[in-house]
């Protein structure tokens, strides 16, 4: 069973954008931090933009920017922007309706998963992107200082 990393990568992307404090950040530069292909970053940025969390600045010096302040973006907002499925999906195929357990398990799980999902939403609403950014800086042990974006002229040979 596979799990998605979009949520974690989206938080990483948004943390990166936030730490550049109003400077547009190129997907190539974000991809270097995430250690992934810029196409992956652009795909997630698209979902974040569709949810109203980011927007793009076009042209020279263009890139991604936050569409709202970091303290107005919750982990719930981010999760629902990039994850297409519920927290706990049910069986891929319908259980055997002739089976005692198979007949009754789906409605039981639906109720339980709905209850837990409400608790997850509530918990994710308590943490903002600004909280994550503050924790990243605290974990690093010093404040983030934006550097010049990488370009062909300042890359090592």
């Amino acid at each position: 069973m596979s799990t998605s990393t979009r949520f974690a990568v989206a938080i990483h992307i948004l943390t990166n954008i936030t730490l550049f404090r109003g400077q547009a950040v190129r997907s190539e530069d974000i991809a270097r931090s995430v250690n992934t292909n810029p196409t992956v970053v652009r795909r997630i940025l698209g979902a974040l933009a569709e949810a109203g969390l980011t927007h793009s600045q076009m042209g020279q010096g263009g890139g991604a920017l936050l569409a709202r302040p970091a303290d107005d973006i919750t982990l719930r907002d981010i999760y629902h922007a990039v994850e297409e499925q519920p927290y706990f999906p049910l069986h891929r195929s319908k259980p055997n309706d002739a089976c005692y357990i198979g007949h009754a398990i789906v409605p039981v799980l639906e109720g339980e998963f709905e209850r837990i999902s409400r608790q997850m939403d509530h918990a994710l609403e308590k943490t903002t992107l600004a909280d994550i950014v503050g924790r990243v800086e605290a974990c690093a042990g010093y404040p983030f200082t934006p550097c010049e974006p990488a370009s062909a002229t300042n890359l090592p040979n």
Side-chain angles (χ1 to χ4, degrees):
M1 192 178 301
S2 65
T3 59
S4 169
T5 62
R6 286 185 300 263
F7 182 45
V9 172
I11 294 169
H12 188 143
I13 289 168
L14 291 169
T15 299
N16 193 306
I17 295 169
T18 302
L19 284 169
F20 272 86
R21 293 170 173 76
Q23 295 179 39
V25 186
R26 299 178 326 141
S27 57
E28 293 84 357
D29 298 322
I30 296 169
R32 199 171 3 276
S33 177
V34 177
N35 199 24
T36 193
N37 189 295
T39 303
V40 172
V41 171
R42 284 190 284 273
R43 192 175 307 122
I44 292 174
L45 280 170
L48 294 169
E50 198 171 295
L53 303 180
T54 64
H55 63 90
S56 295
Q57 178 177 303
M58 305 306 284
Q60 183 70 12
L65 295 158
L66 291 183
R68 303 191 331 225
D71 56 358
D72 288 344
I73 298 172
T74 67
L75 292 185
R76 181 186 184 279
D77 297 329
I78 300 166
Y79 183 89
H80 289 288
V82 298
E83 294 294 347
E84 299 167 4
Q85 59 189 6
Y87 296 114
F88 308 104
L90 291 168
H91 305 71
R92 289 192 190 276
S93 56
K94 188 177 187 306
N96 182 351
D97 205 32
C99 172
Y100 177 86
I101 298 167
H103 174 76
I105 194 71
V106 171
V108 170
L109 290 178
E110 285 174 335
E112 192 63 13
F113 289 176
E114 177 59 33
R115 180 186 66 77
I116 296 167
S117 293
R118 282 192 305 272
Q119 292 174 341
M120 293 265 304
D121 275 344
H122 182 69
L124 290 171
E125 286 174 347
K126 290 183 177 190
T127 303
T128 67
L129 178 57
D131 296 331
I132 297 296
V133 169
R135 291 179 195 159
V136 166
E137 286 189 304
C139 185
Y142 56 92
F144 179 79
T145 305
C147 59
E148 290 297 313
S151 68
T153 58
N154 65 4
L155 287 176
N157 291 337

